[in-house]
Amino acid sequence: MLKPVVIADDHPLFRSALKQAVTKAAPEREIIETSSLGSTREVLTRVEPGLLCLDLHMEDSEGFAGMISMRHDYPMLPIAVISGSDTPEIIRRALNFGASGFIPKASELEMITEGITSILDGEIWKPDGIEIQADASQAEDEMAKRLASLTPAQLKVLTSVHEGLLNKQIAFNMGITEATVKAHLTAIFRKLDVLNRTQAVLAAASLFVDRDDPKKDA
């Protein structure tokens, strides 16, 4: 039996459009819809999908942190990033962080179907005409690999530090001790090759993506 496809997006109209594309690309596969990172994780405890179509902007997940945490916990799961933020820089970051492809939300149904088909076939897919290496920086790509090595807990701590939270606030929000937060920070500094919180915050900036999708502002 073929594995199902999970569509994770908090906008019902786009989930419907993406479901239409998946049905066209793989009519024999079951489709499971989720609207948050949390509900997606709950689904993944019960089923093993053949593809996760993941929006970068959901109520409980902003930017690439959610995708990286999914990649860490499910390293063999193909992830297609689906986003209205589709600059060459964002596409390059998505692929560097481990996505199997990037499909802009503004794409026509035929292009979305093509992307889904290619990714299900095991290919790395991006829109034609997008030169993702044009503005590539070796230092940026190396930092992307370092960020991708963080565990979900470390990513949560790092994004909390980026938000300006203190260790005690992070500990309370995550239900852990301040000592555990400090241990996570030590591991984060080592993995990112930074010396302090300020440098870690600067490194974390590439995890975040501006909301460029007009549907999200509707």
Side-chain angles (χ1 to χ4, degrees), residues 23-93:
T23 300
K24 192 173 181 180
E28 69 282 7
R29 290 182 186 261
E30 178 189 3
I31 298 173
I32 302 172
E33 298 181 50
T34 62
S35 59
S36 68
L37 195 68
S39 60
T40 303
R41 283 191 167 280
E42 194 278 328
V43 166
L44 294 183
T45 64
R46 296 184 286 104
V47 301
E48 182 183 355
L51 174 65
L52 170 61
C53 298
L54 183 66
D55 185 19
L56 290 181
H57 300 293
M58 292 188 287
E59 182 179 357
D60 59 348
S61 176
E62 284 291 332
F64 289 109
M67 194 208 84
I68 294 173
S69 68
M70 288 290 189
R71 169 60 58 236
H72 182 276
D73 288 346
Y74 304 94
M76 302 306 293
L77 172 62
I79 299 176
V81 170
I82 317 290
S83 181
S85 305
D86 55 8
T87 65
E89 177 189 358
I90 298 299
I91 297 174
R92 188 182 81 249
R93 271 193 259 166

Side-chain angles (χ1 to χ4, degrees), residues 5-9 14 18 22 50-56 64 67 70-71 77-83 94-95 98-105 112 115-120 123-125:
V5 173
V6 175
I7 298 173
D9 192 294
F14 188 77
L18 191 54
V22 174
L51 174 65
L52 170 61
C53 298
L54 183 66
D55 185 19
L56 290 181
F64 289 109
M67 194 208 84
M70 288 290 189
R71 169 60 58 236
L77 172 62
I79 299 176
V81 170
I82 317 290
S83 181
L95 300 181
S100 298
F102 188 104
I103 301 174
K105 282 194 169 184
I112 297 176
I116 295 296
T117 301
S118 296
I119 296 168
L120 284 172
E123 301 175 13
I124 302 297
W125 191 90

Side-chain angles (χ1 to χ4, degrees), residues 143 150 164 190:
M143 182 54 70
L150 299 180
R190 183 182 69 253

